[in-house]
Amino acid sequence: MTTRTDGHALAGLAALLADPTRAGFCLALLDGRAWTAGELARSAGVAPSTASDHLTRLVRGGLLAEERQGRHRYVRLADPSVAQLVEDLAGRAPAPAAPPRTLRAASAQASLAYARTCYDHLAGRLGVLLHDALLARGVLDRAGGLALTPTGVAWLTDLGVPVEPLRAGRRPLVRDCLDWTERRPHLAGALGAALCRRFLDLGWTARGTGRAVRLTPAGRPALAAALAVDPADLAPPASRDTGPARA
């Protein structure tokens, strides 16, 4: 009986994401912001009443949290574990068969593939590069599972990121998150979120449209120095000799 109950519960959860509109809402909410029902309706190209029905199901299913301010209804992903679930599923989904139809769509896709937020941490090619550079610098280590090293504590202190508050929180300090464009891990967990915030605070990165993130002119050399990589390695693919960004 327990197996039957668990099976029905899992099927119910899967059904919540089995609709393209509801799945699209969850992908949009990976930017970490709270959206109104109207904003999500416009992003998905559906009627407000249709969006409201879908959002009610997602809230009741525990994937979204709801806030009301006056007549406005705001929704966000319920917690980081939901963001992890959505990103992991996106990483296992087939790549779109059709290329973008317009230059604007292609540019937006390339920007997301280069750097974006995955809920509250960096994703895309820049996020994967950050993950790999931290391993190469000895900030992180995989000897017994992904972990922060003493060298990493000193590196974070120099960067202005206090470690102890991150350790004291409920979230894992460091965690791999499968990147859905690069199909390799980027850094999640409390540390991934703290680094994303710190780079924004330092002005090394800036938010673009939607989930997109860009390196600022001052940020590229500064981040390259912090990671001990060539600044050219941080350039968006379209400005390198390696060709356009991946879809």
Side-chain angles (χ1 to χ4, degrees):
M1 180 64 72
T2 300
T3 302
R4 177 183 173 84
T5 301
D6 289 347
H8 278 278
L10 180 58
L13 176 62
L16 287 174
L17 292 172
D19 178 89
T21 299
R22 291 195 294 273
F25 287 171
C26 290
L27 285 171
L29 290 166
L30 279 175
D31 69 356
R33 298 185 299 118
W35 290 50
T36 66
E39 289 170 337
L40 286 169
R42 288 190 292 274
S43 75
V46 298
S49 58
T50 300
S52 182
D53 290 342
H54 284 305
L55 292 174
T56 296
R57 291 190 61 178
L58 289 167
V59 170
R60 288 176 178 171
L63 294 182
L64 302 186
E66 181 183 52
E67 301 174 12
R68 290 189 180 271
Q69 293 186 8
R71 62 187 183 86
H72 292 294
R73 178 193 194 189
Y74 290 88
V75 293
R76 63 172 72 246
L77 295 179
D79 54 52
S81 68
V82 174
Q84 177 186 346
L85 172 65
V86 174
E87 184 79 4
D88 285 349
L89 288 173
R92 289 165 174 78
R101 295 184 178 181
T102 66
L103 180 60
R104 181 175 181 179
S107 177
Q109 186 180 75
S111 295
L112 286 174
Y114 169 66
R116 64 184 181 275
T117 52
C118 173
Y119 191 58
D120 58 5
H121 55 270
L122 277 175
R125 197 182 74 83
L126 185 62
V128 170
L129 189 149
L130 171 67
H131 175 280
D132 293 349
L134 294 182
L135 284 168
R137 283 214 60 173
V139 172
L140 301 176
D141 183 77
R142 284 198 179 281
L146 190 65
L148 180 68
T149 67
T151 297
V153 173
W155 183 84
L156 289 167
T157 300
D158 290 343
L159 192 64
V161 178
V163 176
E164 288 311 311
L166 303 180
R167 294 190 196 274
R170 295 183 178 182
R171 295 176 68 177
L173 180 61
V174 291
R175 182 180 64 77
D176 285 334
C177 183
L178 179 64
D179 195 276
W180 63 266
T181 49
E182 295 294 312
R183 305 299 167 118
R184 296 172 55 212
H186 58 245
L187 179 65
L191 180 56
L195 287 175
C196 185
R197 289 194 302 271
R198 185 58 177 156
F199 295 160
L200 288 166
D201 290 343
L202 289 170
W204 293 2
T205 59
R207 295 190 181 275
T209 302
R211 296 170 58 197
V213 174
R214 59 180 177 83
L215 269 179
T216 64
R220 186 187 297 180
L223 183 57
L227 298 179
V229 301
D230 189 325
D233 292 340
L234 300 180
S239 65
R240 293 160 54 92
D241 295 333
T242 53
R246 290 182 55 187

